[in-house]
Amino acid sequence: MGFNFPSLAPIGLLIASNLFMTFAWYWHLKFHSLALWMVVLISWGVAFFEYWLAIPANRIGSAMYSAAELKTIQEVISLSVFALFAVTYLGEKLTWNHAAGFGFIGLGAFFIFKGPFR
């Protein structure tokens, strides 16, 4: 069983890009004293690197996945990265309603990858 670059590379790149984007969108919630314009510029600078990962992920991934599948992979990764970030960086607690919501999103991802049903 060898490494399947077209199917695994986009997933790795999307994980890395989501780490950058989650940080770009939410890091500032611990720094309310910073001016909004400064937060936007810093976040924009961080997000620049996210694009350098997300665009190749989608370009490479399009050889193996449909656009809907790529977006679904990205959303599942995004929620997973965010959940980890919210707990570790922001100190938030995940509750059963979060688990239920994430579960329904996972069910939606299942239907994207297993459809169309006949």
Side-chain angles (χ1 to χ4, degrees), residues 7-113:
S7 66
L8 296 178
I11 293 170
L13 289 167
L14 287 171
I15 290 169
S17 77
N18 272 279
L19 289 169
F20 277 100
M21 192 52 94
T22 299
F23 191 79
W25 283 2
Y26 299 104
W27 69 272
H28 58 88
L29 296 180
K30 291 180 108 179
F31 301 97
H32 291 279
S33 62
L34 289 175
L36 184 57
W37 67 268
M38 187 178 288
V39 168
V40 170
L41 286 177
I42 293 168
S43 293
W44 186 54
V46 173
F48 173 80
F49 297 101
E50 183 269 345
Y51 275 80
W52 277 98
L53 296 164
I55 302 304
N58 288 308
R59 177 68 67 96
I60 295 165
S62 68
M64 182 66 82
Y65 303 107
S66 70
E69 290 170 337
L70 283 167
K71 184 60 179 172
T72 302
I73 293 166
Q74 187 276 326
E75 291 298 336
V76 169
I77 290 170
S78 180
L79 278 174
S80 301
V81 168
F82 176 78
L84 204 66
F85 183 86
V87 170
T88 59
Y89 182 78
L90 297 176
E92 296 186 358
K93 303 258 188 262
L94 294 182
T95 62
W96 285 105
N97 61 315
H98 295 117
F102 292 165
F104 281 118
I105 291 167
L107 185 61
F110 168 80
F111 284 111
I112 295 291
F113 280 90

